[in-house]
């Protein structure tokens, strides 16, 4: 059976597209980089794809706020297409700047399915850009199919606006009650995110956003503890989880 196809959004200052494509390829998917303008002009490119991935970077330089311009472009041009893609079983991931795109588009957390922005990523409490490795743990009661069964580990972060916040207390309560939090910072919260939240998913568990970069931790040579023993694994198994789940879903319907 042909491998499932992953569309990786590129262009406009996105800079982790090749890393993310490499991670999907290593996990067994067929990665295809597509410029954001081309995808917006030809939303039919989504047809037959299993994944839509928004990588990290600094889309439009984050000059008007992190990912705000790119989020508005997709929201105004192809939100219906992306929602149809998800409804048909498609999977979406947003990492760092990509996570910011998803929350500012209203695709996450999307508690009522209305597409209203209910959360955001704002400036780190420390007041400056962070580029380091942090401990994270995965919430096993979350419906997120990307993170099922993963053990705690170190993952890299690189962001200036990574503090996760909700629009109000009720939104946060629902996120927790519905187990939408997929992973948290473990022990030390580097950016001040509410409830140590590092990533969330939608109700299906197939739309997932996170600030840490699992695609930057797929080779042991890149890990800071490579000579002292890597505990908890790398970031590749997150993509392997998703590719295996999507491949199984496709097989069951074919």
């Amino acid at each position: 059976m042909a491998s499932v196809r992953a569309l990786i959004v590129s262009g406009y200052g996105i800079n982790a597209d090749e890393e993310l494509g490499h991670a999907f390829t290593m996990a067994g998917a067929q990665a295809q980089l597509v410029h954001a303008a081309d995808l917006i002009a030809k939303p039919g490119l989504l047809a037959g794809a299993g994944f839509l991935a928004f990588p990290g970077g600094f889309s439009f330089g984050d000059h008007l706020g992190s990912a705000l311009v790119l989020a508005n472009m997709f929201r105004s041009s192809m939100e219906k297409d992306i929602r149809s893609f998800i409804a048909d079983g498609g999977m979406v991931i947003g990492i760092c700047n990509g996570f910011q795109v998803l929350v500012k588009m209203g695709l996450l957390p999307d508690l009522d399915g209305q597409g209203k922005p209910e959360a955001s990523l704002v400036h780190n409490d420390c007041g400056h850009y962070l580029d380091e490795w942090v401990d994270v743990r995965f919430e096993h009661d979350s419906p997120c199919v990307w993170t099922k069964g993963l053990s705690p580990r170190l993952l890299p972060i690189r962001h200036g606006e990574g503090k996760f916040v909700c629009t109000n207390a009720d939104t946060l309560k629902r996120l927790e009650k519905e187990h939408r939090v997929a992973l948290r910072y473990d022990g030390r919260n580097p950016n001040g995110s509410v409830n140590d939240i590092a990533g969330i998913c939608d109700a299906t568990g197939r739309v997932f956003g996170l600030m840490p970069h699992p695609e930057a931790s797929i080779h042991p040579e890149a890990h800071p503890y490579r000579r002292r023993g890597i505990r908890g694994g790398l970031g590749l198994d997150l993509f392997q989880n998703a590719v295996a789940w999507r491949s199984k879903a496709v097989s069951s319907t074919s």
Side-chain angles (χ1 to χ4, degrees):
M1 185 182 69
S3 60
V4 64
R5 184 162 56 97
L7 288 181
I8 317 296
V9 179
S10 65
Y12 296 131
I14 292 169
N15 64 17
D17 46 344
E18 292 192 6
E19 284 179 297
L20 188 50
H22 181 56
F24 271 108
T25 298
M26 288 189 65
Q30 177 189 355
Q32 177 185 348
L33 270 62
V34 58
H35 195 283
D38 293 332
L39 182 57
I40 289 171
K42 300 178 180 178
L45 290 170
L46 285 171
F51 297 94
L52 176 62
F54 293 91
F58 302 91
S59 58
F60 292 93
D62 286 347
H63 293 310
L64 299 181
S66 60
L68 185 61
V69 176
L70 191 62
N72 284 340
M73 284 178 60
F74 276 101
R75 183 180 177 90
S76 62
S77 301
M78 58 179 302
E79 181 181 3
K80 290 183 179 179
D81 299 285
I82 295 175
R83 287 190 175 274
S84 294
F85 171 75
I86 296 167
D88 290 340
M91 301 178 68
V92 179
I93 187 170
I95 300 172
C96 197
N97 199 248
F99 185 17
Q100 295 160 346
V101 168
L102 295 183
V103 297
K104 292 179 181 182
M105 274 188 69
L107 288 177
L108 283 178
D110 202 24
L111 292 171
D112 295 313
Q114 301 298 314
K116 298 182 298 183
E118 299 161 308
S120 191
L121 285 307
V122 300
H123 288 284
N124 304 334
D125 277 355
C126 63
H128 59 77
Y129 182 83
L130 295 170
D131 183 0
E132 58 190 79
W133 290 67
V134 297
D135 284 295
V136 299
R137 71 179 189 275
F138 300 94
E139 298 290 359
H140 296 301
D141 55 1
S142 168
C144 185
V145 301
W146 300 76
T147 59
K148 287 294 183 185
L150 299 190
S151 57
R153 66 196 61 193
L154 278 175
L155 287 177
I157 58 170
R158 46 196 193 211
H159 57 249
E161 296 177 54
K163 177 180 178 179
F164 181 84
V165 295
C166 294
T167 53
N168 54 59
D170 287 339
T171 295
L172 181 60
K173 288 179 181 178
R174 284 194 61 184
L175 275 178
E176 296 289 1
K177 183 178 180 180
E178 297 176 19
H179 306 294
R180 300 287 197 88
V181 179
L183 70 156
R184 302 181 197 268
Y185 300 109
D186 194 11
R188 183 177 70 87
N189 184 333
N191 49 39
S193 292
V194 64
N195 288 17
D196 301 324
I197 295 172
I200 62 173
C201 67
D202 73 340
T204 71
R206 292 183 281 106
V207 181
F208 175 44
L210 71 164
M211 286 310 295
H213 286 264
E215 84 288 1
S217 176
I218 57 176
H219 296 290
E221 292 80 8
H223 198 283
Y225 294 162
R226 59 191 176 277
R227 295 182 179 177
R228 288 183 276 172
I230 299 173
R231 68 166 181 82
L234 301 171
L236 182 60
D237 51 4
L238 182 146
F239 298 98
Q240 290 172 326
N241 266 358
V243 171
W245 192 95
R246 181 60 180 158
S247 298
K248 182 178 180 181
V250 170
S251 297
S252 66
T253 57
S254 60

